[in-house]
């Protein structure tokens, strides 16, 4: 019998990293080793614990990683609570990849890239950033602006410090909402920081974070002279099937799980305001 | 065209049922018909159509997607599907037959839903032309001619005989398989019946209803219409319209702990339900207005936008008959159109 | 009715903490035997037993459900078992109305001193349920033991 | 992820002889979430507990299941052990595999199987347990006694004696209650006033006791240990602090035609009055219904004669608010109204009186100075008929279903006193039964019959008819002789049933205590907790709980005091954390839960909710006071929306147990 | 009566006594009437209808309506007033915000009963001296009025309005109804027959929730069947047990609160006689705990929220009828 996309595969959790007080990053491999499936940056997967729930998460590892997939997951509901309580060695079910991807091999190629992320919004962008780093020659300047509530809430802080900041080929700007001890970096909200840094309008922007941050960042970018066609984001809505059939995650006639989750802002502008 | 005398119809049914499952619309009680697996002695309903649509055959209300066995940290996935056996549905009306092509667009597009496809491949749809449409019928609005229904095989009733016309290869195979029951017949009387039925269609109260003001390009025009508030005001948020609708295909995936393992079910869901889009951290459709709008925008705007102008409604009139508060797509269309 | 000699029913007994659970303990202390089919769930008061629990038990494979509480008038919480009596009477009547066998459900008042009554009640109830055979009218086929 | 430890006890051979404990531990070790499963000889022993404790610490357990004896036995032991190892004590569950398994089953295989299932149920439950913390709520060291009769006085004195402040709220101008109206007490025949008034004085002089006379409880909020009570001090138009109780005003008051309630309306008093000579506080009160000054503004005599300047016509009701740790209800009783008993001609004939009226007629301080005279013509009665059970033990609507308990004895007393003082008077007592259980009671009754020749006739009085000659025809049946009687009487005394005071019902509502259908307060347990109400911190003293004679009333008053003292001695109360709680987002405020709560722990608040669309909505939602809730769970089933749940026995926990057992 | 209602509604709107009017709005056909809120005289003139098909009980809408600003005029049939009162009792409706005009009740017509006679293509339905004259595309048909009335009207319990601010038309009396006949009939069957009856009926359930969502007693913020935390949530009857569970628990949750308004059965697309479950509870309550009519007043204790020390034991179930 042919396998259906709705029938999940098994993944084994081989590593769990506590990123922030409420975000953990899980490393998932197939039981026989290697990745459960291939994906492109920005794509998602349905993770599930049978009997507990199933939900869509963006794949935070880069496709260039050939050994495993990673998911950074914030604790916010029944399933995520369960996932956070897991121990290494636990099996979960996984199906995907779902959705479109950032056009890393399309429109983004050769462009100067600006990544703007807030909080857990770094998760989907991290996949792209690492993909770009691994294919550095194909892209122009790379700048990352990332902010969170506090230093402790910065996801993947260690990787940012150890790898990204150490990488001379990318510029990383971090900020936190409020000053705190042990932080000598920038303090302030991401949209304001973007305006302060005033990046060149020649860049293509990939933004992800809480809705309110996205809203103000977009406004700020427009002030700086960016147009909506330059800005990509990725969305999240309730999804069940992942394949545009169950009828839940649409905004207008677009299904986030299938036509998204990556949208360019001019595309979003054509859709009704329902998210 | 090939035909069988109506007096021999049940003989034919017996013969079909001997080889594969045959489903016919039959009376459950006065005024309420449903499809049932044919057994000798069962009679066709005189009702125009069944209360529930025929979509159940391909997209059942609940189905077991997979089973899971959990032990310690390990999970075992069990694909418990069994090969579907061939079956025949007799007496599907033109509207329901069209609904299958709409469902096909959803379930057979990539990635193909193999659960649906499996059943679709094995089912033969035999339609029956309408002769006595009801006041709630408006299939014509969606370009359906109920006197010439689709499906794998179309059937026509001229009062004395049932004519069979194969539309697909599968249909041809089926007609071939019952050829011993069929004889050639002339269609003069049938033409008369069809003409009469079409005349009635033109006289139906909803005959003038048109889709000209709807379609994929009307998104912004209607999405923010102030009519939604009034239209959705009385909506109970139940799923009656959705569940009797032949084209509604939203579903939910639910796990059930049997005590011995987890069964994963797919079941019908309704966008009219308050928890349809509820997530751990909020709900984008908070009020009944938004949910109500979603259902009708989907049928009249979003679906045509994604499917070359095809509407997500076939005018079967079930929601007109069954909505507890008598709110329906016709009222919505008329209200939105009225400037 | 065909009685399967080997049929071992699953019986759930909800016992209030203050009287019936203590009564069950006493029948243990006095080594008064009753069938192993009976498994006790301790609740603070019989009025804690929600009809949902009873149906859930049948769904998941119970063949009989019995609720035990303090005798009317002796409720630790004064009035709990009076509410229990009304609720459970109506529920059992409804189950009966739906054609569910009457002997699958029972409500019994057992005080902390009635160890013998507890054992005898459980003995009798188990026999009654055994005579009925497996619960088929209120079962969930998905949960049936393979 | 749960980290559950399972500990299976052998209990010597008590369990191990019939249950394969190793197999139980082995089987439960494979349950979801279980990280360690061990068995041990005696889990409750020091070393057994140590095993549990070290596992909690080393394995970082999030839940503990002990398979052992009944939780009624050692649940607390293991909870304490868990707590000492740093695990919340409510994360411990006990699977009862001794009393409910090994001791009742003989076959090792089936007993082991059952023990495993019981263990699985406990594991399933503990996986859903949440840490619970007992709330501590402070105790206000002050008591309120509602009612200043002998019950209230006794309670107040005992509480004050123990060193706590106590307030008495009495609705009448004086404390003393019914006992103050009584002449002699049975069975000793000592003078009621002689034993009561010293206690009244003692109460007034005790510096820990504050008497709020002529006051009523307006409102009660709060819960055990911390009630906030509003007391209305009704305007008496006399400054209590200034009035010396000289009584000059009462003599000079021109309005003297006011029925004297202390003498049951058998004589009159003035509009400004002191109820009786020994009243406490001995302070005058103006009756605004009769006072000319208050009604018409013309008079003012009392003000003029009062040298203390205590009269204050402008006085208003005042409300005082006070915190209390405990409340004792001592609202007492009244004889029922006899309006419905036309057959006894009570309303038609002044010489048909109630027993309490007779009490006043015979009292030295009564209307006739202690001489028994007929109210109608002030002549000496020669034939007196007593009718028992007037309204008591009554099946119909007119009366009460219960026995009023004191009538048999006071009637014997009356009969005896009359025969003693006026030997020429014939006394007949018509009774249904004579009930004399009590120390020296039956002896007393027999004295009335044998020594004083009171005519006790078992039978019913059918009709009492006043005759034109002033006599009263009493028509009755003698059941023993089986004959109809007519007695030509001078007076008829009706032993009217007693009923709780009318103020009790609204008070019970305020206190959220339960009452029976007769409006007597319901005790928390009829045998074991007779002086406590089901509502924590509310105690019952005297006849508000049921008909009582004086010694019983005093005994209960002291008992209630002892219970109140026990509460007041504590600095704080530890509340059972297994209480109900309502999910406000789900509650629809329908009030079902409140109706079934025996403790009045549930109240409703209008709460503003921020809706996801940023609007606000005010909804009525239930709120459970955890200090009052006792955790029965009645509300959880009354709640249709599932908003109400019970900590420690939650819906999901019980269903998890059900699932585990039925699996 | 419709004219009188519109006239009165317009007056009350005009003098500011009410801000809105809840009633019924005419539809495409003779029978597809929708409950609606009106705010202007023009709307009332154009759309307001009260006829043989205005069966819908508008009480439940008042839960939502009274959370809004202003006062609303509600036209309530006698049976609706019971639902209204019960909702007031449960603090779900703010009585102060509703001006209740009692209107005469049914019997109302059931279009499904007309269609069940094979009558189709219906253009109009007229009641001519208790004979229905039905114009259809296929010609005129007639049928007796009383054969087409709603089940709930056929066993009407009361023509009396238990609450109103004013009346249009006459107030009636509580009727000596035959509403328990079917319950009794079932009670007299054997358990197997009862089981078969209900299995047949409940297996038709498509879990559309119309019965629940229309029910004036079902006004929970979040129904247990929609709440994953309740442990009994389910969406579709995957097993016959779930059909039983849903209907038993729903009936239990409304026991003692159900006014027997009959809406559940009226709206069931599958014609399941759900009201029989509620009536069984009502009958049991009446027989075991004394006559009780939910919604008859706003103060009495619901039978499941009170008790009597001398209540019968559940064994009473064993003692009656056949097993």
């Amino acid at each position: 019998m042919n396998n259906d996309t709705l029938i999940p595969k098994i993944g084994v959790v081989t590593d769990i990293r506590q990123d922030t007080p409420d975000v953990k990053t899980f490393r998932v491999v197939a039981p026989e080793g290697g990745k459960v499936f291939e994906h492109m940056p920005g794509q998602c997967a349905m993770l599930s614990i049978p009997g507990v729930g199933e939900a869509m998460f963006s794949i935070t590892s880069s496709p260039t990683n050939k050994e495993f997939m990673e998911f950074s997951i914030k604790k916010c509901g029944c399933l995520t609570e369960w996932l956070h309580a897991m121990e290494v060695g636990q099996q979960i079910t996984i199906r995907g990849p779902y959705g479109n991807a950032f056009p890393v091999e399309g429109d983004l190629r050769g462009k100067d890239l600006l990544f703007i992320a807030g909080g857990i919004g770094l998760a989907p962008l991290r996949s792209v950033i690492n993909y770009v780093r691994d294919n550095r020659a194909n892209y122009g300047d790379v700048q990352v602006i990332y902010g969170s509530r506090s230093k402790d809430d910065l996801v993947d802080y260690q990787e940012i410090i150890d790898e990204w900041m150490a990488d001379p080929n990318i510029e990383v700007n971090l900020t936190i909402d409020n000053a705190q001890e042990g932080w000598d970096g920038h303090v302030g909200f991401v949209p304001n920081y973007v305006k302060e840094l005033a990046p060149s309008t020649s860049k293509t922007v990939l933004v992800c974070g809480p809705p309110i941050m996205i809203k103000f960042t977009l406004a700020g970018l427009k002030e700086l002279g960016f147009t909506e066609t330059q800005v990509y984001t990725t969305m999240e809505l309730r999804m069940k099937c992942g394949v545009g059939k169950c009828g839940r995650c649409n905004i207008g006639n677009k299904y986030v799980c299938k036509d998204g989750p990556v949208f360019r802002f001019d595309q979003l502008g054509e859709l009704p305001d329902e998210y | 065209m090939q035909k069988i005398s109506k007096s021999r119809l049940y003989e034919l049914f017996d013969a079909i049922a001997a080889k594969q499952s045959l489903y016919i619309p039959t009376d459950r009680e006065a005024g309420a018909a449903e499809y049932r697996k044919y057994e000798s002695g069962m009679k066709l309903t005189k009702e125009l159509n069944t209360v529930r649509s025929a979509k159940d055959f391909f997209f059942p209300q609940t189905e077991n997607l997979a089973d899971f066995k959990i032990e310690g940290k390990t999970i075992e996935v069990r694909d418990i599907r069994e090969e579907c056996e061939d079956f025949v549905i007799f007496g599907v009306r033109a509207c329901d037959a069209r609904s299958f092509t709409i469902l096909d667009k959803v379930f057979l597009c990539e990635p193909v839903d193999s659960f649906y496809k499996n059943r679709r491949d094995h089912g033969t749809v035999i339609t029956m032309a309408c002769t006595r449409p009801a006041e709630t019928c408006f299939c014509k609005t969606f370009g359906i001619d109920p006197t010439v229904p689709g499906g794998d095989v179309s059937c026509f009733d001229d009062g004395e005989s049932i004519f069979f016309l194969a539309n697909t290869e599968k249909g041809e195979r089926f007609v071939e398989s019952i050829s011993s029951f069929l004889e050639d017949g002339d269609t003069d009387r049938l033409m008369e019946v069809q003409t009469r039925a079409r005349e009635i269609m033109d006289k139906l109260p909803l005959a003038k209803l048109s889709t000209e003001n709807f379609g994929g390009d009307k998104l912004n025009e209607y999405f923010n219409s102030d009519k939604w508030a009034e239209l959705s005001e009385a909506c109970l948020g139940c799923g009656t319209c959705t569940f009797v609708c032949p084209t509604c295909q939203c579903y939910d995936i639910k796990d059930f702990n049997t005590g011995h393992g987890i069964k994963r079910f797919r079941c019908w869901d309704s966008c009219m339900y308050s928890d349809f889009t509820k997530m751990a951290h909020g709900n984008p459709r908070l009020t009944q207005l938004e949910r109500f709008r979603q259902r009708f925008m989907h049928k009249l705007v979003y679906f045509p936008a994604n499917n070359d102008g095809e509407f997500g409604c076939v005018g079967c009139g079930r929601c007109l008959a069954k909505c507890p508060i008598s709110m329906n797509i016709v009222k919505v269309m008329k209200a939105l159109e009225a400037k | 009715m065909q009685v399967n000699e080997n049929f071992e029913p699953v019986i759930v007994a909800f016992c209030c903490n203050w009287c019936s659970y203590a009564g069950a303990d006493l029948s243990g202390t006095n080594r008064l035997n009753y069938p192993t089919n009976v498994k006790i769930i301790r609740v603070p008061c019989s009025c804690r037993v929600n009809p949902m629990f009873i149906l859930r038990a049948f769904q998941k494979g119970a063949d009989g459900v019995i609720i035990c509480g303090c005798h009317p008038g002796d409720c630790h919480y004064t009035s709990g078992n009076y509410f229990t009596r009304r609720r459970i009477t109506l529920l059992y009547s409804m189950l009966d109305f739906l054609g569910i066998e009457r002997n699958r459900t029972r409500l019994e008042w057992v005080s902390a001193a009635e160890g013998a009554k507890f054992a005898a009640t459980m003995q009798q109830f188990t026999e009654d349920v055994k005579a009925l055979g497996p619960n088929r009218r209120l079962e969930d086929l998905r949960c049936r033991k393979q | 992820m749960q980290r559950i430890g399972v500990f299976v006890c052998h209990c010597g051979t008590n369990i191990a002889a019939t249950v394969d404990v190793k197999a139980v531990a082995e089987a439960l070790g494979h349950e979801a979430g279980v990280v360690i499963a061990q068995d041990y000889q005696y889990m409750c022993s020091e070393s057994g507990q140590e095993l549990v404790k070290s596992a909690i610490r080393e394995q970082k357990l999030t839940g503990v299941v002990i398979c052992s004896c009944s939780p009624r036995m050692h649940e607390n032991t293991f909870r304490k052990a868990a707590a000492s190892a740093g695990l919340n004590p409510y994360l411990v569950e006990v699977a009862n595999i001794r009393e409910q398994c090994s001791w009742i089953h003989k076959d090792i295989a089936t007993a082991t199987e059952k023990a495993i299932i019981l263990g699985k149920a406990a594991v399933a439950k503990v996986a859903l347990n949440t840490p619970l913390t007992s709330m501590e709520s402070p105790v206000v060291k002050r008591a309120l006694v509602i009612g200043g009769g002998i019950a209230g006085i006794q309670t107040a004195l005992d509480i004050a004696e123990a060193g706590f402040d106590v307030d008495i709220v009495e609705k009448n101008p004086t404390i003393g209650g019914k006992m103050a109206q009584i002449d002699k007490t049975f069975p000793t025949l000592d003078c009621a006033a002689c034993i009561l008034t010293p206690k009244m004085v003692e109460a007034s002089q005790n510096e820990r006791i504050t008497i709020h006379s002529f006051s009523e409880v307006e409102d009660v909020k709060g819960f055990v240990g911390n009630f906030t009570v509003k007391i209305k001090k009704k305007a008496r138009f006399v400054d209590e602090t200034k009035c010396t109780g000289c009584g000059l005003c009462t003599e000079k008051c021109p309005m003297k035609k006011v029925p004297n309630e202390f003498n049951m309306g058998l004589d009159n008093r003035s509009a400004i009055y002191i109820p009786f000579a020994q009243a406490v506080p001995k302070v005058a009160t103006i009756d605004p219904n009769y006072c000319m000054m208050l009604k018409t503004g013309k008079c003012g005599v009392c003000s003029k004669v009062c040298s203390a300047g205590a009269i204050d016509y402008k006085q208003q009701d005042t409300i005082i608010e006070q915190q209390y740790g405990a409340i004792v209800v001592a609202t007492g009783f009244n004889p029922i109204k006899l309006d419905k008993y036309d057959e006894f001609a009570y309303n038609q004939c002044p010489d048909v009186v109630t027993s309490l009226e007779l009490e006043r007629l015979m009292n030295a301080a009564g209307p006739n100075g202690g001489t028994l005279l007929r109210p109608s013509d002030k002549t000496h009665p020669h034939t007196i008929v007593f009718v028992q059970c007037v309204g008591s033990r009554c099946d119909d609507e007119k009366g009460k279903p219960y026995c009023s308990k004191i009538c048999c004895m006071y009637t014997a007393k009356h009969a005896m006193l009359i025969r003693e003082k006026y030997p020429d008077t014939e006394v007949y007592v018509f009774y249904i039964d004579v009930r004399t259980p009590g120390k020296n009671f039956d002896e007393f009754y027999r004295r009335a019959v044998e020594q004083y020749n009171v005519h006790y006739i078992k039978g019913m009085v059918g009709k009492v008819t006043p005759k034109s000659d002033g006599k009263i025809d009493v028509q009755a049946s003698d059941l023993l002789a089986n004959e109809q009687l007519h007695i030509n009487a001078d007076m008829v005394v009706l032993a009217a049933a007693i009923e709780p005071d009318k103020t009790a019902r609204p008070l019970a509502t305020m206190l959220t205590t339960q009452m029976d259908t007769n409006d007597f307060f319901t005790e928390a347990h009829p045998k074991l907790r007779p002086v406590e109400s089901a509502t924590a911190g509310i105690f019952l003293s005297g006849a508000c709980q049921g008909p009582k004679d004086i010694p019983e009333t005093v005994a209960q008053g002291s008992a209630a005091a002892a219970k109140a003292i026990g509460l007041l001695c504590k600095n704080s109360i530890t509340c059972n954390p297994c209480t109900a709680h309502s999910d406000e987002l789900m509650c629809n405020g329908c009030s079902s839960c409140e109706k079934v709560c025996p403790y009045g722990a549930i109240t409703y608040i209008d709460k503003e909710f921020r809706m996801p669309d940023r609007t606000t909505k005010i909804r009525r939602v239930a709120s459970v006071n955890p200090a009052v809730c006792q955790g029965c769970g009645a509300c959880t089933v009354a709640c249709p929306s599932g908003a109400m749940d019970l900590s420690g026995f939650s819906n999901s926990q019980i269903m998890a147990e059900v699932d585990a057992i039925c699996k | 009566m419709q004219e009188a209602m519109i006239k009165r509604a317009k007056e009350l709107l005009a003098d500011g006594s009410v801000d809105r009017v809840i009633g019924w709005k005419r539809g495409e056909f003779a029978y597809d009437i929708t409950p609606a809120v009106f705010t202007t005289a023009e709307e009332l003139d154009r759309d307001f209808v009260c006829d043989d098909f205005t069966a819908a009980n508008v009480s439940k809408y008042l839960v939502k309506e009274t959370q809004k600003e202003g006062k609303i005029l509600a036209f309530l049939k006698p049976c609706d007033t019971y639902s209204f009162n019960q909702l007031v009792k449960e603090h779900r409706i703010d009585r102060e915000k509703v001006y209740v005009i009692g209107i005469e009740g049914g019997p109302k017509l059931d279009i499904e009963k007309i269609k069940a006679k094979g009558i189709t293509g219906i253009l109009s339905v007229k009641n001519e001296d208790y004979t229905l004259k039905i114009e259809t595309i296929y010609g005129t048909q007639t049928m007796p009025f009383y054969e087409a009335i709603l089940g709930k009207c056929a066993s009407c319990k009361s023509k009396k309005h238990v609450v109103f601010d004013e009346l249009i038309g006459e107030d009636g009396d509580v009727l000596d109804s035959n509403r328990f006949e079917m319950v009794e009939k079932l009670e007299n069957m054997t358990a197997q027959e009862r089981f078969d009856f209900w299995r047949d009926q409940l297996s038709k359930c498509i879990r559309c929730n119309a019965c629940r969502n229309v029910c004036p007693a079902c006004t929970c913020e979040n129904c247990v069947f929609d709440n994953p935390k309740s442990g009994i949530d389910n969406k579709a009857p995957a097993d016959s047990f779930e059909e039983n569970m849903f209907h038993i628990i729903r009936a239990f949750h409304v026991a003692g609160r159900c006014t027997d308004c009959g809406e559940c059965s009226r709206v069931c697309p599958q014609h399941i006689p759900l009201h029989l479950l509620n009536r069984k509870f009502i009958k049991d309550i009446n027989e075991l705990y004394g006559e009780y009519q939910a919604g008859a007043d706003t103060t009495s204790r619901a039978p499941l929220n009170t008790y009597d020390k001398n209540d019968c034991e559940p064994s009473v179930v064993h003692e009656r009828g056949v097993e």
Side-chain angles (χ1 to χ4, degrees), chain D residues 90 106 111 119 191 193 339 444 511 651-652:
Chain D
Y90 292 90
K106 296 195 172 64
C191 152
D339 302 348
F444 184 78
L511 295 169
N651 287 330
S652 56

Side-chain angles (χ1 to χ4, degrees), chain D residues 242-356:
Chain D
K242 292 183 186 157
C243 177
T244 59
C246 68
L248 193 60
C249 55
T250 66
E251 282 167 32
K252 301 288 181 202
C253 177
M255 182 62 211
K256 290 215 158 50
K257 287 262 154 65
V258 186
N260 184 356
E261 45 286 83
F262 185 71
N263 281 336
M264 304 306 289
L266 294 167
D267 66 353
N268 290 327
R269 61 162 167 82
S270 46
I272 185 165
Y273 66 108
I274 296 171
F276 56 96
Q278 298 86 1
V280 169
K282 196 168 180 191
V283 175
T285 304
I286 297 180
D287 187 336
N289 296 322
Y290 293 94
C291 171
M292 299 308 287
M293 185 65 188
L294 289 172
K295 283 172 77 180
T296 65
K298 289 181 190 133
C299 181
V301 170
C302 51
S303 177
K304 282 173 208 141
V305 301
C306 181
S307 55
I311 309 295
D312 175 8
Y313 297 117
K314 295 211 167 55
Q315 204 179 56
Q316 300 278 322
D317 293 354
T318 51
I319 302 280
I320 51 175
E321 197 176 289
Q322 184 66 258
Q323 319 294 122
Y324 299 99
I327 297 177
V328 183
V329 183
T331 45
F333 72 96
N334 278 307
I336 61 166
K337 291 255 180 304
L338 295 178
D339 302 348
K340 291 178 196 149
Y341 287 88
D342 282 344
E343 65 266 38
F344 297 133
Y346 175 74
N347 282 339
Q348 292 82 9
C349 177
D351 298 328
V352 178
V353 298
T354 66
S355 299
L356 193 56

Side-chain angles (χ1 to χ4, degrees), chain D residues 423-599:
Chain D
D424 60 333
T425 304
E426 288 300 321
V427 176
Y428 297 88
V429 178
F430 286 92
Y431 68 94
I432 305 171
D433 296 296
V434 176
R435 298 181 162 180
T436 55
K439 192 173 163 184
N440 294 328
F441 281 16
D442 205 55
E443 296 91 319
F444 184 78
Y445 155 65
R446 268 185 282 134
R447 257 166 68 208
V449 179
E450 289 159 13
Q451 197 175 330
Y452 289 95
N453 295 319
V454 178
H455 307 298
Y456 269 80
I457 302 168
K458 184 174 176 72
M460 304 286 290
V461 171
K463 193 155 180 57
V464 174
T465 319
K467 296 198 290 191
S468 53
D469 63 357
K471 291 275 192 177
I472 304 167
D473 175 50
V474 178
Q475 182 197 338
S477 54
D478 181 336
L479 288 177
L480 295 179
N482 199 14
E483 59 181 14
Q484 287 290 318
L485 298 174
H486 280 275
I487 293 170
N488 205 19
D490 296 308
M491 270 183 87
V492 174
V493 183
L494 305 176
I498 61 172
E499 64 180 359
D501 194 82
K502 290 277 175 271
T503 58
R505 174 59 71 176
L507 185 65
T509 309
M510 278 189 260
L511 295 169
T512 66
T513 47
Q514 291 193 316
M515 282 190 141
D516 62 21
T517 47
N518 299 315
D519 281 5
F520 285 114
F521 282 86
T522 305
E523 58 282 5
H525 191 282
K527 286 116 196 164
L528 303 177
R529 296 170 66 193
V531 299
E532 295 158 81
S533 80
T535 306
I538 312 276
F539 305 96
L540 308 176
S541 171
C544 69
Q545 181 259 348
K548 280 179 190 61
D549 62 20
I550 293 168
E552 266 188 295
T553 296
V554 172
Q556 210 202 10
S558 285
K563 283 285 168 191
I565 293 162
L567 169 61
L568 295 176
C569 280
K570 295 180 186 160
N571 287 324
S572 65
I573 310 161
T574 309
C575 312
N576 167 21
C578 295
T579 55
H581 52 88
S582 168
D583 182 342
E584 288 171 341
L585 293 175
M586 308 258 289
C587 173
N588 65 21
C590 73
S591 291
S592 282
C593 52
E594 173 212 24
K595 300 281 190 310
V596 300
C597 179
Y599 307 102

